[in-house]
Amino acid sequence: MAGGPLLELRRVSLAFGGLKVVSDLDLHVEQGEIVSVIGPNGAGKTTLFNLVTGIYQPDDGDIVFDGRSVLGLEPHEITRLGIARTFQTLRLFLNMYVRENVMAAAYGRTKAGVVRSMLRTPGMRREEAEIRALAEEQLSFFGERLKGYRWDQPAYSLSYANRRRLEIARAMATGPKILLLDEPAAGMNPVETHEITELIARLRSEAGYTILVIEHDMHVVEGISDRVVALDHGVKIVEGTFEQVATDPRVIEAYLGTKAAATK
């Protein structure tokens, strides 16, 4: 994990009108780490991802990725730098084939313009073949779940868990250095949750990604995290190992209320 922070938020704040949703947030993710962000609903977790990916611009502070500030950049420009994300609510192209969903993510890196695409020039056909091969490579990472005959199935035919996998594969096709996973285990049964936990670990150990993940399932958080950051009302209340964070009275209070925290 040498090499220093890949992603760093420095005293980042954001307010919507009079409501402060992120306040003086300091957060960093080292190269090769898996960092989990936890907190109750409304804690500012997805807002954090929206800030990093350029959907929102902070009122104060700075966001630095790979040694460069990303403030003022458009979301597609941030993606090209190497930040890719999934969403809490799945955003797939359901009527497109599985392979086409992943290919769509890679078209932002192609050079063929409209005219070359219409004329089907040799260069354009070569890029198309490269994108197709890239999509198949990314899908193969998920084994039989997204391999072979599934490539030519529409995305709507997939199970919910495989749709989650497909969204991760699409993010991988952008060529990221860091993956931002927004509640990847949401809505899954215990078996699927165990499988997604193993998948996230493989994304780091086999594919080499640095990962920042939002997750409510504490079994997932415990199984994957090098560090855990707990937010409440846009404020970082504690940071540390899973055990340190899970047993901290401030975290218990944020999830269960003051009375529950006092009885621990």
Side-chain angles (χ1 to χ4, degrees), residues 90-112:
L90 286 167
R91 299 188 184 183
L92 296 173
F93 304 113
L94 293 177
N95 289 319
M96 290 170 59
Y97 293 134
V98 167
R99 177 166 38 205
E100 290 174 337
N101 264 272
V102 182
M103 291 175 68
Y107 279 116
R109 295 178 176 271
T110 59
K111 298 178 181 178

Side-chain angles (χ1 to χ4, degrees), residues 25-259:
L25 179 60
D26 288 318
L27 184 149
H28 71 281
V29 184
E30 302 285 338
Q31 184 81 37
E33 266 193 315
I34 299 178
V35 176
S36 294
V37 178
I38 68 170
N41 291 332
K45 303 182 299 296
T46 296
T47 300
L48 164 65
F49 275 20
N50 289 337
L51 284 163
V52 172
T53 55
I55 295 174
Y56 300 151
Q57 292 294 322
D59 298 323
D60 296 295
D62 196 8
I63 301 172
V64 178
F65 176 69
D66 204 13
R68 170 183 176 176
S69 175
V70 299
L71 294 189
L73 297 182
E74 295 292 330
H76 69 275
E77 294 173 318
I78 292 174
T79 299
R80 286 176 182 166
L81 289 178
I83 299 176
R85 71 173 293 182
T86 64
F87 293 86
Q88 183 177 352
T89 303
L90 286 167
R91 299 188 184 183
L92 296 173
F93 304 113
L94 293 177
N95 289 319
M96 290 170 59
Y97 293 134
V98 167
R99 177 166 38 205
E100 290 174 337
N101 264 272
V102 182
M103 291 175 68
Y107 279 116
R109 295 178 176 271
T110 59
K111 298 178 181 178
V114 176
V115 174
R116 291 173 62 189
S117 298
M118 292 175 61
L119 297 175
R120 301 287 297 176
T121 63
M124 182 271 168
R125 292 198 300 272
R126 186 166 54 251
E127 280 192 335
E128 186 84 8
E130 291 171 354
I131 289 174
R132 186 183 183 90
L134 172 64
E136 293 174 357
E137 177 186 357
Q138 302 301 347
L139 289 166
S140 294
F141 180 84
F142 298 84
E144 296 302 319
R145 300 289 191 177
L146 293 179
K147 198 174 179 181
Y149 72 95
R150 294 192 186 275
W151 293 345
D152 295 314
Q153 288 184 327
Y156 68 73
S157 69
L158 296 178
S159 68
Y160 176 79
N162 282 340
R163 292 184 189 186
R164 285 280 180 190
R165 293 181 176 92
L166 177 57
E167 191 174 40
I168 295 173
R170 187 175 62 183
M172 293 165 65
T174 65
K177 299 175 184 176
I178 186 170
L179 286 172
L180 278 56
L181 306 179
D182 194 344
E183 296 195 31
M188 294 189 181
N189 63 41
V191 173
E192 293 167 339
T193 298
H194 178 72
E195 290 176 347
I196 204 72
T197 303
E198 291 184 333
L199 172 62
I200 294 170
R202 288 182 55 228
L203 286 168
R204 192 255 297 274
S205 63
E206 297 179 21
Y209 293 115
T210 300
I211 300 171
L212 180 63
V213 58
I214 294 170
E215 188 51 66
H216 279 295
D217 191 310
M218 291 299 106
H219 294 293
V220 177
V221 175
E222 182 179 16
I224 63 173
S225 305
D226 297 310
R227 281 187 297 116
V228 180
V229 176
L231 300 181
D232 188 28
H233 294 94
V235 177
K236 181 169 70 175
I237 55 176
V238 66
E239 175 180 359
T241 66
F242 173 81
E243 287 296 329
Q244 291 170 334
V245 173
T247 58
D248 191 287
R250 291 167 292 182
V251 175
I252 298 170
E253 178 181 347
Y255 273 100
L256 301 178
T258 305
K259 185 176 181 180

